[in-house]
Amino acid sequence: MAELVGIAESIAREAGALLREFYHRGVAAEYKGDVDLVTEADRASEALIVARLSEALPDHGIYGEEGTRQALESEFRWYIDPLDGTTNFAHGFPAFCVILGCERRAPGLAAGEDGEMVAGVIYDPLRDEMFSTERGGGAKLNGKPIHASRTKTLQESLVATGFPSHKRHRSPNVHFYQEFTLRSHGVRRAGSAGLDLAYVACGRLEGFWEFKLNPWDTSAGYLMVEEAGGKITHFDGGKFTLDSREVLATNGLIHAEMQHLFEDLFAGKNIEPIPTPAEFAARRMDETTDK
């Protein structure tokens, strides 16, 4: 699968260069839903990736975030996110990437079943960081092997999450955010699931969780985390699948601890109440008095 990785790296670099040009000159954003942004850069990047993949691998299928659905019955299928972190990109916040993940689908596999992820790349064009992986070949950053961190406890860990853009008022993640903040070394919210998964793979983060991601968000990172020695599942420890609406990825060593915390939170156990405005005011007064 090394050949597939090489092709994907070349295409991701070309798409990344295109995104850099758009980023530095600025682009107008529009909405493709109530709150989901899309830009000219998203569409241009997907068009470039689709064209290059079609030229290099004409018998492969393509499933893209911006609407490409091409030859999905093929043995090999690419999931592409031409610009992961569009909201960041549109606001000039420097955290976004290009994602290409390749799945091999056995003959006769049902439409709703997963094949086997075999290759993937996540490219950060502003830092020129190319994360790559192939099944059985480990994971790399700019050609050098990477491995998940060896931190053993959540208390010592830096973790990350994300928040859905759609129906955010219904998401319970703000409560999970608080609980993990209280129990970890810190929680980061960078706005790019692709980069978050790559950072778990290379040891910059010990864990990452999020609701409501799509196959193009996780395809490359799924394999990358596993090949780097980490673990990725549902919140309850069940097998991760590309259509999973919840993602828990860790270095493997803190996975059980994070999983147990999710079990408690979903059961309503050991939850620290979020202070009311009145309680905040009272604490502020107490701190002022103590000084």
Side-chain angles (χ1 to χ4, degrees):
M1 298 302 166
E3 180 185 1
L4 295 181
V5 173
I7 291 170
E9 286 182 343
S10 176
I11 294 172
R13 286 190 186 280
E14 188 176 355
L18 179 69
L19 292 179
R20 278 197 304 270
E21 294 177 11
F22 278 111
Y23 180 77
H24 290 307
R25 75 170 184 251
V27 295
E30 61 187 74
Y31 289 92
K32 57 182 178 180
D34 291 341
V35 288
D36 288 326
L37 287 176
V38 65
T39 70
E40 179 186 0
D42 294 80
R43 297 190 179 104
S45 179
E46 181 154 320
L48 184 152
I49 293 169
V50 170
R52 297 295 182 267
L53 279 175
S54 297
E55 292 168 5
L57 302 163
D59 57 341
H60 285 209
I62 304 174
Y63 193 104
E65 180 181 12
E66 301 310 325
T68 302
R69 303 289 186 270
Q70 182 173 307
L72 298 184
E73 72 285 352
S74 301
E75 178 183 2
F76 291 93
R77 179 189 296 178
W78 290 87
Y79 295 92
I80 61 173
D81 192 336
L83 172 49
D84 182 48
T86 299
T87 299
N88 287 345
F89 183 91
H91 286 271
F93 189 85
F96 56 88
C97 63
V98 179
I99 303 172
L100 290 86
C102 185
E103 175 192 31
R104 186 172 189 175
R105 301 177 61 79
L109 194 66
E113 292 184 82
D114 281 356
E116 180 182 62
M117 296 307 304
V118 294
V121 301
I122 298 171
Y123 180 54
D124 179 343
L126 295 185
R127 295 171 182 81
D128 193 24
E129 290 189 329
M130 179 66 73
F131 298 88
S132 61
T133 186
E134 62 177 296
R135 181 160 296 280
K140 297 178 181 179
L141 169 54
N142 290 342
K144 297 181 180 179
I146 55 176
H147 198 282
S149 87
R150 308 309 299 169
T151 300
K152 297 180 179 179
T153 66
L154 178 59
Q155 182 179 356
E156 299 175 289
S157 296
L158 187 66
V159 298
T161 190
F163 291 86
S165 56
H166 184 58
K167 295 183 178 179
R168 282 171 286 187
H169 63 290
R170 295 186 180 180
S171 174
N173 205 30
V174 66
H175 301 287
F176 298 150
Y177 183 96
Q178 171 173 287
E179 297 304 320
F180 278 103
T181 297
L182 294 174
R183 292 167 171 80
S184 68
H185 208 200
V187 178
R188 300 292 178 262
R189 198 280 199 211
S192 167
L195 290 179
D196 288 331
L197 289 168
Y199 286 6
V200 171
C202 74
R204 294 174 184 172
L205 295 169
E206 277 67 47
F208 165 69
W209 83 92
E210 190 166 346
F211 292 87
K212 298 186 181 303
L213 292 176
N214 296 290
W216 49 77
D217 298 308
T218 57
S219 59
Y222 172 15
L223 179 61
M224 195 171 294
V225 167
E226 291 188 334
E227 286 291 328
K231 186 174 182 179
I232 181 167
T233 68
H234 291 169
F235 293 161
D236 64 2
K239 177 177 171 53
F240 180 77
T241 54
L242 289 173
D243 63 353
S244 296
R245 306 306 286 171
E246 55 188 44
V247 179
L248 173 59
T250 72
N251 63 357
L253 300 176
I254 67 165
H255 205 90
E257 189 176 358
M258 289 188 73
Q259 183 183 323
H260 291 152
L261 179 52
F262 273 114
E263 291 172 358
D264 282 351
L265 295 177
F266 280 118
K269 300 177 182 177
N270 303 318
I271 297 176
E272 182 72 20
I274 297 177
T276 65
E279 289 171 330
F280 272 124
R283 290 181 187 180
R284 183 180 180 189
M285 184 64 69
D286 289 343
E287 291 172 359
T288 302
T289 303
D290 290 341
K291 292 180 181 179

